[in-house]
Amino acid sequence: MNRVVVGLQWGDEGKGKVVTYLSRYHDVVARFSGGANAGHTVNYGSFKVIHHLLPSADFIRNVGIAIGNGVLLDPQVFREELVELRERFPGYSGEILVSENAHIVLPVHKEVDRKVDEVLKIGTTKRGIGPACADRVMRANVRIAELHDEKRVRALLKKNLSLKSFYNLTFDVEKALDDLLEFYNTIKGFVVSSLQMKRTLEGKNVLFEGTQGVLLDLDVGTYPYVTSMNCSSSGVSAGMGFPVKVDETIGVFKAYTTRVGEGPFPTELFGDEGETLRRAGHEYGSTTGRPRRCGWLDLPLLNYAIEVASVDTLVMTKADVLNGFEKVKVCVRYKDGKELLSLRDLEKKEPVYEVFDGWKSLESREFDRFVNFIEKETGKPIKYISTGERLEDIVEV
Ligand code: IMP
């Protein structure tokens, strides 16, 4: 059984924990998109791990991991996470696969990201994602597939350096080359072609892990305030390098909404109201530490994401954060009365709220009412509810 897990908002829905939990029902967790811009915090109970690149597999249960060609690999981050994996889980015996067609983020991409974001003001994570994707489609980037051939990598880096002069940036080709060759030595045992990846995953139960969220998808998200890849479920096949047959698409959403970086956010709360939600939910980025913008759940946006990503079932996270709130609001439509078929003009939408009595615990009637309402309004079953921070704090509904 192949499943896909995607975030239904602007990322940070708690997918890392959900994927790690669900991975026990799968042989492999595969990542198809994103890079070190993502940050998944998993609290195993006695310790916490934050991954940026490693798929969120349960390493205690030896679930395998696969990194598709759609993932951008930052060598330094990936190497550190592999070392951490060995140290934290010395007995880990899961399979590790890395597509040779995955692209590399070079240090200079992060410099370009900083410079470009001063002009574009998207509020990126500055992890070099956009510039590495741009070099990828410009056919000027280094992939894992090149790393076994020193001459080719040097030639590619030289071309890349020439392009960087457009940004008045420079870098030391020999140093970059040494770093990449050293990186290759640490990962070459895991590297496979797309065809080998396909053959290895065929017949296995694979959980495809989305990063970011549908609203940050390059094409169906709130462009230009998006990431540079297809992080919605439409990105699975392209990001793995072969058509993937999906049996179930699971959408994860928070009981409220957050966003980091710029861009429209109809239900955003400002001042004390926003701060209360931010504090209650510890809403600070796990990659950049930036305070997240916070607001109420937005059903028109949620329904847009569910439909565009062909979501079958839902997982709600962080409802416990709202424990003790006197009232909980949900945006049920916008004042213009129109169905949300497009994200164009989202910044002009004004929310109309339904106000719910708050709940003290997730076992209360008030919370049941909230859950039933969301199921009715989305037409999708909420299959799991995450009830706390730790991995096992999740209930099947
Ligand atoms: P980039 O992916 O670093 O280029 O950033 C583009 C936009 O996506 C910015 O608004 C980022 O804050 C946002 N973004 C990227 N990755 C994540 C994530 O994992 N969680 C939340 N927002 C993200």
Side-chain angles (χ1 to χ4, degrees), residues 212-377:
Q212 286 80 45
V214 171
L215 302 178
L216 285 173
D217 181 278
L218 177 62
D219 294 308
V220 298
T222 49
Y223 190 91
Y225 302 103
V226 291
T227 191
S228 305
M229 291 178 249
N230 289 116
C231 47
S232 179
S233 37
S234 58
V236 177
S237 293
M240 292 310 297
F242 51 87
V244 170
K245 190 178 160 297
V246 176
D247 300 296
E248 185 184 8
T249 300
I250 300 172
V252 183
F253 71 101
K254 263 195 285 222
Y256 51 95
T257 310
T258 62
R259 160 160 224 177
V260 259
E262 301 305 313
F265 182 172
T267 59
E268 181 168 12
L269 294 170
F270 299 94
D272 286 350
E273 277 189 307
E275 190 52 35
T276 308
L277 208 44
R278 188 172 306 118
R279 281 221 196 102
H282 310 292
E283 294 295 353
Y284 298 89
S286 51
T287 298
T288 58
R290 287 181 290 177
R292 295 179 184 143
R293 299 159 64 193
C294 297
W296 297 117
L297 184 65
D298 186 327
L299 280 176
L301 269 178
L302 189 66
N303 277 328
Y304 168 86
I306 287 172
E307 192 171 346
V308 87
S310 295
V311 165
D312 302 300
T313 51
L314 298 172
V315 179
M316 175 156 56
T317 60
K318 296 190 98 165
D320 53 297
V321 164
L322 301 177
N323 285 358
F325 275 58
E326 208 171 302
K327 297 284 174 199
V328 171
K329 291 187 188 175
V330 175
C331 166
V332 288
R333 58 188 167 83
Y334 299 128
K335 279 195 184 143
D336 64 12
K338 292 186 192 149
E339 187 189 359
L340 189 70
L341 296 176
S342 156
L343 301 185
R344 211 172 46 189
D345 299 334
L346 188 64
E347 64 286 352
K348 296 187 191 143
K349 302 287 182 186
E350 289 179 69
V352 176
Y353 290 108
E354 181 126 345
V355 183
F356 290 79
D357 285 337
W359 50 85
K360 295 219 163 50
S361 95
L362 300 187
E363 272 92 55
S364 60
R365 275 218 323 269
E366 289 80 7
F367 181 61
D368 278 351
R369 212 171 289 144
F370 181 75
V371 170
N372 293 338
F373 181 76
I374 293 167
E375 287 189 323
K376 183 169 79 52
E377 293 294 312

Side-chain angles (χ1 to χ4, degrees), residues 127-177:
R127 294 301 187 269
I129 301 301
C133 285
D135 274 355
R136 171 184 178 224
V137 291
M138 205 138 51
R139 291 136 302 164
N141 203 28
V142 185
R143 302 173 308 165
I144 306 282
E146 273 73 58
L147 295 185
H148 68 284
D149 184 339
E150 184 175 331
K151 267 194 184 154
R152 281 180 65 190
V153 186
R154 184 181 284 109
L156 266 173
L157 286 173
K158 280 187 177 161
K159 283 188 188 166
N160 201 288
L161 176 65
S162 307
L163 295 177
K164 293 302 165 293
S165 63
F166 301 147
Y167 296 101
N168 280 331
L169 285 170
T170 180
F171 64 89
D172 182 341
V173 167
E174 292 306 314
K175 161 98 177 55
L177 178 68

Side-chain angles (χ1 to χ4, degrees), residues 52-88:
H52 298 284
L53 282 170
L54 282 186
S56 302
D58 188 330
F59 296 115
I60 294 174
R61 290 180 161 84
N62 291 313
V63 177
I65 54 177
I67 292 184
N69 55 256
V71 176
L72 284 178
L73 282 180
D74 181 320
Q76 199 191 333
V77 175
F78 193 47
R79 211 169 18 202
E80 281 168 13
E81 291 187 3
L82 282 173
V83 170
E84 198 195 352
L85 173 66
R86 296 288 177 224
E87 283 172 4
R88 284 267 190 214

